[in-house]
Amino acid sequence: MRELYTLLESELARLPQPEPPAGMTEAVMARVARVDMDRRETARDVAGEERRGPVPSVGATVFRGAARVAAALGALGLAGYVYGLNWGAWTFDPLASPIGNGFTALAAFPQSVPAALGLTMVLLLYLVGLLAPLGHSSVSERLRARAVTTNGG
Amino acid sequence: MPVDADREAVLAVRGGDRDAFGRLVSSYQQRLYGLCLAMVRDPTAAEEVTQDAFVRAYTHLDRYDEHRPFYPWLATIATRLAQSRLRRRRRLFEREGAVIDADRTGSGQADPLARTIANNRSRRLWERVAALPSGERTAVYLYYRQGMKVADVARALGVTSGTVKTQLFRARRHLRDVMDDRDRPGKREEAL
């Protein structure tokens, strides 16, 4: 049996190798070049998508617009309140007025300038924090984008 | 191509040098084409499988362990592609109503390699190898003709080393009479 191994090995090794078709290397390299081109295009597309960010839905766009209007009105109201409290005769008091008609002293507003400025700053900070997610992609989206970048490149 | 040269070429390809992959293709195309031809037994199909194997190797080069020889990894890809093609062909034959065992369709005369062998006894041996069932034939080809280790052959075929040893044992038993004829040239005439 051992002789058979040796004979088989030597006989089979001696058989001629079939010649591959002419131009095989060129054909393979052309396909490889296409693979590289596809990879570059895919990478460009992904980078473009990441730059543009996700396409917002109609509902999100409407909500974002309404939130911006509400933020602008809120800021205007605050500015009016602070102005009226300190320098003007007219008092714009969107919270106190309805309360003042039916109820008394539900909310006591500060009367001094530093306290009013402090309240304004805190309310502005609250509004900015409240509306911050609307201006950027969500945290999960950002994390997903970061994961794609890490694995892909 | 020496193992070190393979490793250098692979590292160069990973570094963006596409021409280095061309060197690997030039080095192994004949060997790989021979394997594919032995498996699918059709020159056009063998060419396609060979090209596909090279392209797949290129796209998955990050999975190749550069501490191991390159050819067995490449042969594994080609073997899997050829097996997949044979399975598709067999399903097609069955669907068309002609139940043909695709492993046994290649008679010795139809085998492309057999036509190129001038020596009668060598051709007869190859015809017997070509007539073996697909698994045995590929195992014999990879082990005896391409000099791969049993573990590498097993990996290429997706079976255990024990299965490869069994396939080789069965193949040797099938081929024994041919080799015996070679040892004793008069035996064939006696039998006739």
Side-chain angles (χ1 to χ4, degrees):
Chain A
M1 202 67 169
R2 178 62 57 187
E3 277 182 21
L4 179 61
Y5 294 172
T6 316
L7 270 171
L8 199 55
E9 204 161 6
S10 61
E11 283 286 338
L12 285 174
R14 268 205 334 236
L15 294 178
Q17 283 276 12
E19 281 294 327
M24 164 105 51
T25 306
E26 290 74 17
V28 170
M29 293 312 288
R31 287 181 61 183
V32 160
R34 277 203 299 276
V35 167
D36 278 346
M37 205 155 53
D38 289 347
R39 278 178 176 169
R40 274 197 298 273
E41 280 176 11
T42 306
R44 229 183 356 249
D45 289 348
V46 169
E49 283 294 322
E50 281 176 359
R51 267 199 306 275
R52 279 192 297 275
V55 180
S57 64
V58 176
T61 307
V62 170
F63 179 73
R64 188 179 298 173
R68 281 177 179 158
V69 170
L73 287 175
L76 193 65
L78 278 169
Y81 171 71
V82 172
Y83 176 79
L85 194 66
N86 298 294
W87 299 285
W90 174 73
T91 299
F92 180 81
D93 196 347
L95 290 176
S97 295
I99 295 167
N101 289 335
F103 308 97
T104 53
L106 189 63
F109 287 94
Q111 296 301 311
S112 66
V113 174
L117 283 174
L119 177 66
T120 307
M121 292 298 292
V122 168
L123 283 171
L124 277 174
L125 194 63
Y126 170 75
L127 272 177
V128 168
L130 184 70
L131 301 171
L134 296 173
H136 305 282
S137 59
S138 69
V139 174
S140 62
E141 282 168 347
R142 272 180 280 165
L143 286 174
R144 197 162 51 240
R146 192 180 300 167
V148 168
T149 312
T150 309
N151 292 336
Chain B
M1 201 168 179
V3 174
D4 286 344
D6 284 353
R7 189 180 301 141
E8 279 174 22
V10 167
L11 292 176
V13 177
R14 283 177 181 164
D17 179 6
R18 196 194 302 155
D19 292 338
F21 191 73
R23 292 198 292 277
L24 288 169
V25 175
S26 300
S27 300
Y28 291 118
Q29 59 173 338
Q30 188 170 17
R31 208 172 164 194
L32 196 68
Y33 177 72
L35 169 64
C36 295
L37 191 59
M39 287 188 75
V40 300
R41 298 194 236 186
D42 171 51
T44 309
E47 183 183 356
E48 284 175 17
V49 174
T50 308
Q51 283 192 24
D52 289 349
F54 277 120
V55 172
R56 190 165 288 197
Y58 182 78
T59 53
H60 295 98
L61 207 58
D62 53 329
R63 295 185 194 171
Y64 164 65
D65 177 4
E66 66 270 17
H67 301 295
R68 302 172 75 95
F70 182 72
Y71 184 74
W73 182 71
L74 185 63
T76 301
I77 296 173
T79 305
R80 300 293 170 84
L81 288 172
Q83 284 174 333
S84 171
R85 194 182 186 95
L86 287 172
R87 272 195 297 273
R88 279 203 307 274
R89 196 165 70 182
R90 190 180 301 134
R91 278 200 295 270
L92 181 69
F93 281 136
E94 287 170 359
R95 203 169 50 238
E96 294 298 320
V99 182
I100 300 169
D101 182 0
D103 296 343
R104 296 175 185 276
T105 47
S107 67
Q109 284 185 338
D111 188 85
L113 183 59
R115 289 197 295 264
T116 66
I117 303 171
N119 182 295
N120 280 341
R121 283 182 183 145
S122 298
R123 188 168 60 245
R124 205 151 50 84
L125 171 65
W126 178 249
E127 285 170 359
R128 292 300 291 266
V129 171
L132 290 171
S134 176
E136 289 176 27
R137 185 174 72 238
T138 309
V140 164
Y141 198 90
L142 290 172
Y143 184 76
Y144 287 112
R145 184 124 165 83
Q146 304 219 318
M148 281 169 55
K149 294 174 182 167
V150 169
D152 289 332
V153 175
R155 202 171 293 117
L157 294 175
V159 296
T160 63
S161 295
T163 304
V164 171
K165 285 175 187 169
T166 306
Q167 284 174 328
L168 290 174
F169 175 77
R170 284 182 186 155
R172 279 193 298 267
R173 206 170 50 193
H174 283 129
L175 299 171
R176 189 184 301 163
D177 56 340
V178 181
M179 301 309 293
D180 284 349
D181 281 358
R182 181 169 175 76
D183 286 343
R184 290 176 289 156
K187 187 182 174 186
R188 189 155 179 259
E189 285 74 18
E190 283 167 19
L192 292 172

